[in-house]
Amino acid sequence: MQNLKYISPIFEDIYTKKYVTHKGVRLKTSNIITLIDMFLNRYIYFNKDNIKLNSRVLKFLYGSTYSKYIEYLIDNEFIYLYKNYSSGLKSKCYKLTDKSKGKGYLSVNVNIPIKLQNKIRLVNDSNYNTNEFIKNKLINDLYQINIDLEQTKLWIEKNLDKNDKAYFINSSCCARIANKDIYYSFDNYGRFHTNFTVLKKDIRSNFLKFGKEKVKEIDITNSQPFFLYFLMRNSNFTNFNGFDQDVLSGVIYDKIKNITGINRKEVKTNVYSVLFGRNMTKDYWNDLFNKLYPDVYKWIVDYKKTNKSYKIIAHELQRIESDFMFNNLIPRIVAHNKDIRVITIHDSVMVQEKYYNDVKIIFDECLKSLI
């Protein structure tokens, strides 16, 4: 079976060959392409242009000549060594070059050996330490989804600009899902990234099925403010200035929307800039949040200063979210009915429509158990 992979125009027709010779060494193009795809997946979906690569993992995947594959990518100016080994670190960090980012990317069908595919899955599966049964269920259920590719293509053509990155991402992701070429990865904060987490919600809602069964999605209302409230409360913070009431009643975004007069999506984006940004300037959104919830805003700023990282709150909330999903919610769903298929979209789950009401009750009970 062919797999849909991302490649860089730097390598031209590499996908038409089985081998290339570099500095007298014969290299398998399937190995090169999976490395390129690994970098481009991360860059396209998450705007991350670097990857830490462990030598033992590379040797497991590509054999004793693994360093020749990395060297090939460096010599072709696709990546460069960003950080070498240092004390306490077992991995080198490689970064995409400006040239490779400027060249863009192509989506091509290639044959990746089953043995290599299975090795990559083993590596991905080992990246997150959660219940093995739950982890296997999450992965296996990804392969149970069917997609109406023709209708999806029509929706994308009608609703997304061809010059927009979202057009390419959603088109290629849908093609991969249709081909059962499933991408997944657990990150350092427990989040489970897949083909489905980057899809537009309209596509997930209208064109995906478990077999022949319709799917329905359940999510947490204002999830990031909710998990922030949880983090603050667990640090013995009490003076919420009404932030707790607005979050628990699910009205925080609508309240700010009514104050500012802008749409809810923009409100959400700008609230995130306060929660997860540097808070270095007195801009409109920092000032507004400070005015509405002064003690909460002070806690946010102080927490980042104390931990010497403006990213700390984002990372903490991702850990809380992941723990809630994989060690609380999903086990409860599985215990209730093993026939329920589940796909997670960070703070939401997709299940068969016929089980929606059962899962909604479990979802609400799990949220209540946190507070």
Side-chain angles (χ1 to χ4, degrees):
M1 180 185 290
Q2 287 198 314
N3 302 94
L4 201 63
K5 298 297 180 187
Y6 297 125
I7 65 165
S8 169
I10 287 174
F11 300 96
E12 297 181 341
D13 60 347
I14 189 174
Y15 61 94
T16 67
K17 304 172 182 176
K18 289 188 176 181
Y19 299 92
V20 295
T21 301
H22 182 64
K23 294 183 177 178
V25 180
R26 201 180 191 210
L27 304 176
K28 293 180 181 178
T29 57
S30 57
N31 290 348
I32 296 170
I33 289 169
T34 54
L35 273 169
I36 294 170
D37 182 74
M38 187 192 307
F39 276 95
L40 291 181
N41 260 308
R42 186 169 166 81
Y43 182 60
I44 294 166
Y45 295 154
F46 314 117
N47 205 31
K48 304 289 186 181
D49 63 359
N50 62 81
I51 294 181
K52 291 178 182 177
L53 297 178
N54 184 289
S55 58
R56 284 179 295 179
V57 172
L58 289 171
K59 186 175 182 179
F60 170 71
L61 292 174
Y62 305 119
S64 58
T65 59
Y66 70 88
S67 61
K68 301 299 181 182
Y69 290 97
I70 298 297
E71 189 178 280
Y72 176 80
L73 297 184
I74 291 174
D75 288 349
N76 279 278
E77 299 181 72
F78 179 69
I79 59 173
Y80 65 95
L81 180 60
Y82 180 57
K83 289 183 180 178
N84 210 331
Y85 295 114
S86 59
S87 178
L89 296 177
K90 297 179 180 178
S91 304
K92 292 182 179 181
C93 184
Y94 297 91
K95 200 167 187 177
L96 291 171
T97 64
D98 289 339
K99 177 183 176 181
S100 63
K101 288 187 283 189
K103 287 282 187 179
Y105 29 81
L106 304 171
S107 187
V108 297
N109 281 306
V110 292
N111 287 311
I112 304 298
I114 294 295
K115 187 176 180 180
L116 177 56
Q117 291 183 46
N118 289 337
K119 283 184 175 182
I120 291 171
R121 285 182 188 176
L122 281 172
V123 171
N124 287 338
D125 294 356
S126 66
N127 285 344
Y128 182 55
N129 184 26
T130 189
N131 179 286
E132 200 67 26
F133 175 78
I134 296 300
K135 183 165 66 175
N136 288 335
K137 175 178 176 54
L138 290 170
I139 294 167
N140 290 335
D141 283 356
L142 294 172
Y143 291 89
Q144 307 307 312
I145 279 282
N146 293 323
I147 187 168
D148 188 335
L149 192 55
E150 291 306 313
Q151 289 301 313
T152 304
K153 286 178 180 177
L154 291 174
W155 186 92
I156 290 172
E157 292 294 331
K158 182 179 179 181
N159 294 280
L160 300 180
D161 185 343
K162 284 188 176 181
N163 297 316
D164 191 357
K165 186 178 178 181
Y167 179 95
F168 177 82
I169 289 175
N170 284 271
S171 297
S172 59
C173 265
C174 290
R176 285 191 172 202
I177 291 168
N179 202 36
K180 301 299 181 185
D181 186 7
I182 302 299
Y183 167 81
Y184 59 87
S185 175
F186 294 95
D187 68 21
N188 294 332
Y189 310 104
R191 273 193 154 187
F192 190 40
H193 302 280
T194 71
N195 304 66
F196 303 94
T197 55
V198 295
L199 281 183
K200 290 289 186 183
K201 190 169 185 177
D202 284 336
I203 294 176
R204 298 200 304 263
S205 300
N206 296 301
F207 307 116
L208 300 181
K209 289 184 178 180
F210 282 110
K212 295 183 179 179
E213 299 180 81
K214 290 183 178 180
V215 303
K216 198 165 183 180
E217 193 168 334
I218 307 168
D219 62 9
I220 304 171
T221 304
N222 50 242
S223 64
Q224 297 308 303
F226 174 81
F227 289 129
L228 175 64
Y229 158 73
F230 182 75
L231 175 66
M232 295 175 72
R233 197 196 63 175
N234 281 3
S235 70
N236 297 317
F237 183 83
T238 56
N239 196 18
F240 283 97
N241 313 126
F243 177 78
D244 52 345
Q245 297 172 22
D246 292 342
V247 168
L248 295 177
S249 59
V251 302
I252 184 168
Y253 294 139
D254 292 314
K255 177 178 179 176
I256 297 175
K257 172 178 171 286
N258 293 335
I259 293 171
T260 61
I262 66 175
N263 66 56
R264 196 174 187 275
K265 185 177 180 180
E266 288 183 75
V267 167
K268 186 175 179 180
T269 299
N270 285 292
V271 168
Y272 279 17
S273 73
V274 176
L275 302 188
F276 309 134
R278 296 177 184 273
N279 311 110
M280 297 291 286
T281 59
K282 281 196 167 187
D283 65 12
Y284 174 79
W285 288 96
N286 282 313
D287 288 346
L288 176 62
F289 200 93
N290 188 25
K291 182 178 178 182
L292 290 172
Y293 314 111
D295 293 296
V296 173
Y297 182 77
K298 183 178 184 303
W299 185 93
I300 290 170
V301 173
D302 289 346
Y303 194 81
K304 293 173 185 176
K305 284 182 179 178
T306 300
N307 288 278
K308 298 179 180 179
S309 171
Y310 76 92
K311 297 180 180 180
I312 185 66
I313 290 180
H315 295 161
E316 294 282 12
L317 301 195
Q318 287 167 15
R319 289 189 183 97
I320 295 169
E321 173 195 276
S322 299
D323 183 64
F324 168 76
M325 296 297 288
F326 304 134
N327 298 321
N328 189 347
L329 177 64
I330 307 301
R332 287 278 299 275
I333 293 172
V334 173
H336 175 75
N337 187 337
K338 62 182 177 57
D339 293 327
I340 299 176
R341 302 288 186 187
V342 183
I343 289 181
T344 60
I345 315 294
H346 299 323
D347 61 356
S348 71
V349 293
M350 293 193 302
V351 298
Q352 299 104 307
E353 189 176 49
K354 65 183 179 183
Y355 295 123
Y356 174 84
N357 290 333
D358 287 356
V359 175
K360 183 69 169 68
I361 291 170
I362 296 170
F363 203 105
D364 291 342
E365 287 175 350
C366 288
L367 285 175
K368 287 178 183 177
S369 73
L370 287 182
I371 58 175

